[in-house]
Amino acid sequence: MRIILHVDLDAFFPAVEVREHPELKGKSVIVGADPKGGKGRGVVSSASYEARMYGIRSAMPISQAWKLCPEGIYLLPHFDLYINASNSIMEILKNHADKFEQGGIDEAYLDVSSQVENFDEAVQLARNLMQEVLDKEKLTCSIGIAPSKMVAKIGSDHRKPYGLTAVKEDGVLEFLAPLKVRKIPGVGPKTEGRLKELGIETIGDLAQASPKMLTRLFGVWGARLHEFANGVDHSELIEEYETKSVGRDITFEKDVDDEELIERILDELAEEVHEDVIANSFKFKTITVKVRYQHFDTHTRAKSLSFPTNDLVILKNNAWRLISPLLKRDRKVRLIGVRVSNLILGNRTPGTVVCLMQQED
């Protein structure tokens, strides 16, 4: 029997900010775009648990967050801090695992099947990990323990923050049955809505549904949903987490058509990307730019170089050449972004435990 741990860092971005600035402890901390007094654009990256009590969630428009909690502490993301903290924690976790898979900047799976004799020992190992992360990094995490990745991930979210949930093999169905279908990884609002129309609201309801009907409605995903609902998940851990891209984007306070302004902001975004590339010893071969117009129509252009590089001038020049044709005089721009991908670390594809993203949870 496998014993899998899913470790999820609690409100990671705000928690790092509070660690760096203890005076923020106990306050509603929202990391994301500048709210501009309720008129800002962009989204919430993450919110502290105090802020979540007001209904603030990741990916929520920052203007909406401001309306819910105008007295909150709003901070722009400091990705250098988050990356360093994440890397340190992942090194701690890897030292206790047979197999290790990083799922993002703030989460990881550990296969500890040969590290422990039974679930009781796994619980003690998890408690030790929680304490080690707290002692060394001054951050908290929640852990789910189960025979599969899927159930372990659901478990880590069950008693947040700083919670521990262990689900033994013979208790999987009982644990899953009363939970809402949205708890299954990959089930979003649309799938949840379609299932609700069928009278399927809990994972227990889904487990009792006809596999043929689910397959007819959702294709292969429908069959997978039925397996998940019945606690079936044989997926293996992917031991090397590959950073697929490093990117930054910005939503303008007002839609713009000033090419000089756009070029200056694009250069600034490229410099931020370049800093992350250098900090993590990456080189890139592909450069991509993105433009979103005032009516949310979005376009991207990309170029792959014939050689890997970390040269800032090459990045800036190619980003501008790519974005220039997208700047149409009759259309104002809402958002621009730049991303590098096809990364290598030294002379090989990266197996580093770094993941850059605009939002977490």
Side-chain angles (χ1 to χ4, degrees):
M1 182 180 66
R2 293 195 304 169
I3 299 181
I4 307 297
L5 273 59
H6 182 261
V7 181
D8 196 359
L9 301 175
D10 298 321
F12 182 48
F13 292 178
V16 174
E17 298 290 349
V18 172
R19 182 188 70 175
E20 299 300 311
H21 304 282
E23 67 273 14
L24 298 177
K25 186 175 182 180
K27 297 184 179 181
S28 297
V29 178
I30 301 99
V31 176
D34 187 342
K36 300 287 186 182
K39 298 180 180 180
R41 301 172 70 170
V43 299
V44 173
S45 293
S46 184
S48 68
Y49 288 98
E50 292 82 1
R52 296 181 193 191
M53 293 177 66
Y54 290 89
I56 297 174
R57 296 289 183 269
S58 296
M60 173 182 287
I62 199 71
S63 57
Q64 184 180 347
W66 176 267
K67 291 177 182 177
L68 292 172
C69 185
E71 68 274 20
I73 308 298
Y74 290 83
L75 302 172
L76 297 176
H78 295 95
F79 289 103
D80 55 337
L81 294 176
Y82 312 151
I83 292 167
N84 288 337
S86 174
N87 286 345
S88 297
I89 292 169
M90 296 305 161
E91 286 300 317
I92 292 172
L93 301 179
K94 282 200 296 185
N95 289 333
H96 297 276
D98 301 328
K99 293 181 180 179
F100 174 87
E101 175 185 342
Q102 186 174 354
I105 194 170
D106 62 343
E107 63 173 321
Y109 296 93
L110 287 69
D111 187 329
V112 298
S113 303
S114 72
Q115 302 287 324
V116 295
E117 293 290 334
N118 50 48
F119 264 77
D120 290 337
E121 289 190 10
V123 168
Q124 188 57 54
L125 172 60
R127 287 180 177 145
N128 292 343
L129 282 174
M130 293 167 71
Q131 189 64 48
E132 186 174 355
V133 170
L134 181 60
D135 290 343
K136 293 182 177 179
E137 292 298 320
K138 311 304 180 188
L139 297 167
T140 66
C141 62
S142 296
I143 298 182
I145 309 171
S148 69
K149 291 171 64 176
M150 185 270 297
V151 179
K153 183 173 176 64
I154 294 175
S156 68
D157 188 53
H158 197 56
R159 291 192 176 95
K160 273 184 162 287
Y162 206 50
L164 174 60
T165 300
V167 185
K168 296 181 180 180
E169 189 170 28
D170 57 4
V172 167
L173 294 180
E174 182 181 358
F175 170 70
L176 293 176
L179 302 178
K180 297 295 185 182
V181 291
R182 188 72 179 271
K183 291 292 184 179
I184 296 177
V187 173
K190 291 184 179 179
T191 300
E192 182 185 34
R194 293 183 68 186
L195 290 172
K196 192 171 184 178
E197 291 173 358
L198 300 170
I200 299 173
E201 297 193 16
T202 67
I203 296 179
D205 295 336
L206 185 59
Q208 297 299 317
S210 164
K212 290 184 179 180
M213 180 268 291
L214 292 171
T215 302
R216 185 173 67 253
L217 290 174
F218 299 102
V220 175
W221 176 230
R224 192 75 174 124
L225 279 175
H226 190 262
E227 289 180 346
F228 279 167
N230 283 278
V232 178
D233 174 29
H234 302 298
S235 57
E236 294 290 336
L237 275 66
I238 302 171
E239 292 198 73
E240 287 196 342
Y241 185 83
E242 178 180 331
T243 304
K244 298 184 184 304
S245 65
V246 177
R248 291 287 188 276
D249 57 42
I250 187 170
T251 303
F252 292 107
E253 183 178 354
K254 293 182 179 180
D255 298 332
V256 300
D257 55 7
D258 183 336
E259 289 196 9
E260 289 187 6
L261 171 63
I262 292 173
E263 182 175 13
R264 177 170 60 81
I265 298 300
L266 185 70
D267 280 351
E268 292 176 1
L269 294 176
E271 288 169 3
E272 291 184 16
V273 169
H274 183 257
E275 287 178 3
D276 290 330
V277 166
I278 295 299
N280 292 285
S281 302
F282 289 158
K283 292 184 178 180
F284 55 86
K285 290 186 67 177
T286 302
I287 301 167
T288 303
V289 297
K290 175 170 67 174
V291 171
R292 179 170 296 150
Y293 300 110
Q294 60 193 121
H295 298 300
F296 293 90
D297 186 20
T298 304
H299 294 265
T300 62
R301 294 189 70 202
K303 176 180 180 179
S304 291
L305 307 173
S306 59
F307 54 90
T309 182
N310 59 9
D311 187 278
L312 178 58
V313 174
I314 291 176
L315 174 57
K316 284 185 174 182
N317 288 344
N318 279 281
W320 179 244
R321 290 192 189 104
L322 288 167
I323 209 169
S324 293
L326 298 177
L327 303 180
K328 303 175 182 179
R329 294 187 177 182
D330 59 338
R331 303 188 70 180
K332 290 189 175 182
V333 173
R334 176 184 178 86
L335 171 150
I336 62 170
V338 60
R339 183 175 76 251
V340 296
S341 57
N342 200 357
L343 305 177
I344 64 168
L345 178 63
N347 294 318
R348 61 183 180 84
T349 301
T352 186
V353 290
V354 176
C355 175
L356 305 183
M357 54 178 58
Q358 293 290 5
Q359 58 196 46
E360 59 85 35
D361 222 4

